[in-house]
Amino acid sequence: ETGVTQTPRHLVMGMTNKKSLKCEQHLGHNAMYWYKQSAKKPLELMFVYSLEERVENNSVPSRFSPECPNSSHLFLHLHTLQPEDSALYLCASSQIGGQNTEAFFGQGTRLTVV
Amino acid sequence: AQKITQTQPGMFVQEKEAVTLDCTYDTSDPSYGLFWYKQPSSGEMIFLIYQGSYDQQNATEGRYSLNFQKARKSANLVISASQLGDSAMYFCAMRELRAGGYQKVTFGTGTKLQVIP
């Protein structure tokens, strides 16, 4: 496998459920990101992990809990979500320090909260 | 704070014609990078092209070119010889390098391009 892989691709969950989104990158990158893409809104950066350490948390509610066990894997743990949390959640990775290095994105997990 | 503006919510182009997607940006950082990404209906964000703020020449990648006008703070994407597979959402984005070396990328609202046979 190459690139950035996200699972599951689609997820429907109730407001009382607990679920996790998984992201795996095979690019040897050392920074990973979670973005939220809601309808008719720009992508919103949620969390950034650099060298497995969380370096940014952009005012994300605590019902979203990220985890980065190693440089290749990133999780987003979800619990007691609200319907307005329904969105496409995109994971990305990049190489730290490169001036011309772009972020590579996964295909996203489309989350529906019912 | 960084800001990216894409003023065209939707665009149509005839197959084989060229199309320009507009993007303006605002930043106080002298060093920045500009990207264009394509997002087909499958959801994946696909990197197309990159322009560094200090690059002297406009970036080109195959049928994609970036018309970078630094003084006007614009970074328009030009797609030549449009193909049906180019139908997608296109996002302009700006990279800010943080102290730790990682990227903080700000995205525009996107332009939906539809290529007509």
Side-chain angles (χ1 to χ4, degrees):
Chain A
E1 287 194 56
T2 58
V4 181
T5 305
Q6 288 186 244
T7 54
R9 293 292 311 280
H10 301 272
L11 178 63
V12 179
M13 61 185 286
M15 288 189 282
T16 58
N17 291 159
K18 289 185 181 180
K19 296 286 184 183
S20 295
L21 309 185
K22 180 182 176 183
C23 176
E24 185 173 359
Q25 59 96 2
H26 304 273
L27 300 166
H29 289 164
N30 45 24
M32 296 187 77
Y33 312 78
W34 278 116
Y35 283 87
K36 177 183 178 182
Q37 186 177 24
S38 304
K40 299 180 182 178
K41 280 187 173 182
L43 273 79
E44 303 168 61
L45 180 63
M46 300 174 72
F47 300 104
V48 182
Y49 276 83
S50 175
L51 298 173
E52 300 164 41
E53 179 183 342
R54 191 193 310 181
V55 292
E56 286 217 18
N57 176 347
N58 288 318
S59 304
V60 181
S62 60
R63 57 186 184 268
F64 294 92
S65 174
E67 179 191 1
C68 187
N70 55 62
S71 61
S72 299
H73 293 85
L74 184 66
F75 294 90
L76 188 62
H77 303 300
L78 316 170
H79 64 97
T80 58
L81 294 191
Q82 304 298 311
E84 60 264 28
D85 296 323
S86 298
L88 181 68
Y89 289 84
L90 288 160
C91 172
S93 69
S94 71
Q95 188 64 24
I96 291 172
Q99 284 289 326
N100 295 348
T101 54
E102 68 274 20
F104 286 80
F105 284 79
Q107 290 184 298
T109 295
R110 189 162 296 280
L111 173 68
T112 303
V113 180
V114 296
Chain B
Q2 295 187 319
K3 187 177 178 182
I4 293 280
T5 303
Q6 293 180 256
T7 57
Q8 304 155 314
M11 290 277 288
F12 289 92
V13 64
Q14 203 76 37
E15 194 178 5
K16 300 180 184 177
E17 298 290 311
V19 63
T20 298
L21 306 184
D22 295 341
C23 173
T24 58
Y25 61 91
D26 192 21
T27 181
S28 56
D29 191 343
S31 176
Y32 52 89
L34 296 156
F35 300 90
W36 277 92
Y37 283 89
K38 172 184 178 182
Q39 187 179 40
S41 56
S42 60
E44 183 181 4
M45 296 285 272
I46 303 167
F47 166 74
L48 296 178
I49 196 166
Y50 170 83
Q51 179 86 41
S53 59
Y54 294 119
D55 293 343
Q56 295 296 313
Q57 294 191 327
N58 287 345
T60 60
E61 288 285 348
R63 295 187 297 111
Y64 304 108
S65 60
L66 200 152
N67 184 1
F68 181 46
Q69 299 192 37
K70 196 170 182 177
R72 296 178 62 183
K73 294 189 174 180
S74 74
N76 298 339
L77 176 71
V78 180
I79 305 174
S80 62
S82 298
Q83 301 171 358
L84 295 177
D86 293 334
S87 295
M89 283 290 288
Y90 288 81
F91 291 92
C92 181
M94 179 161 54
R95 169 188 56 73
E96 173 190 359
L97 274 182
R98 293 296 215 193
Y102 64 91
Q103 303 181 27
K104 181 167 184 179
V105 181
T106 303
F107 286 83
T109 51
T111 296
K112 185 172 183 178
L113 177 67
Q114 294 186 63
V115 180
I116 305 166

